């Protein structure tokens, strides 16, 4: 999986010149979207198929600060997938120093447009297989 790069923008920093903590959650979404695109199951495809994947929970550990113009290297992967719940892990590093600045996870489920849970193994077995392989990898 290719790493996702994010360059810290000026508007993402606070008055002290440090990246505001809320932006790391946004970057998680950017990287997760990129990961799904890389495996051929981007959000556009999922939504066309009638699959929505809301965030159920987020865990975040802020390790070090970043500032304007820093480039952050974001790695993602599937931590766990057992058919209904998907947990994605994230590791963000400062591109120049290699220092870990953030780690976290996000938990998702899969629903149809009416909000009913989807069991991917029954309705979308190919997607289910790919997520299981990533979780094992």
């Amino acid at each position: 999986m290719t790493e996702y790069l994010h360059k810290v923008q000026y508007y993402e920093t606070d008055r002290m010149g440090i990246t505001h903590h809320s932006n790391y959650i946004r970057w998680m979404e950017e990287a997760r979207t990129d990961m799904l695109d890389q495996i051929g199951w981007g959000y556009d495809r999922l939504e066309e198929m009638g699959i929505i994947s809301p965030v159920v929970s987020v865990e975040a550990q802020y390790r070090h600060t970043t500032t304007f113009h820093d480039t952050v290297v974001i790695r993602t992967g599937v931590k766990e997938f057992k058919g209904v719940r998907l947990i994605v892990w994230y590791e963000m590093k400062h591109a120049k120093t290699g220092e870990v600045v953030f780690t976290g996870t996000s938990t998702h489920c899969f629903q149809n447009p009416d909000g009913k849970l989807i069991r991917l193994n029954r309705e979308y077995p190919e997607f289910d297989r790919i997520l299981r392989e990533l979780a094992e990898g």
Side-chain angles (χ1 to χ4, degrees), residues 62-79:
Y62 302 94
R63 310 280 181 176
H64 293 280
T65 60
T66 58
T67 59
F68 175 57
H69 268 305
D70 286 346
T71 298
V72 178
V73 179
I74 306 171
R75 293 182 40 231
T76 61
V78 175
K79 179 178 179 181

Side-chain angles (χ1 to χ4, degrees), residues 52-114:
I52 57 174
S53 182
V55 175
V56 176
S57 68
V58 173
E59 290 186 21
Q61 295 83 41
Y62 302 94
R63 310 280 181 176
H64 293 280
T65 60
T66 58
T67 59
F68 175 57
H69 268 305
D70 286 346
T71 298
V72 178
V73 179
I74 306 171
R75 293 182 40 231
T76 61
V78 175
K79 179 178 179 181
E80 182 180 307
F81 177 71
K82 294 182 179 172
V84 175
R85 184 178 64 163
L86 170 67
I87 302 174
V88 179
W89 62 264
Y90 308 84
E91 180 186 69
M92 301 183 192
K93 291 184 177 182
H94 191 286
K96 283 187 181 175
T97 67
E99 186 173 52
V100 175
V101 298
F102 176 94
T103 58
T105 61
S106 60
T107 303
H108 310 263
C109 65
F110 297 95
Q111 300 175 332
N112 67 22
D114 296 326

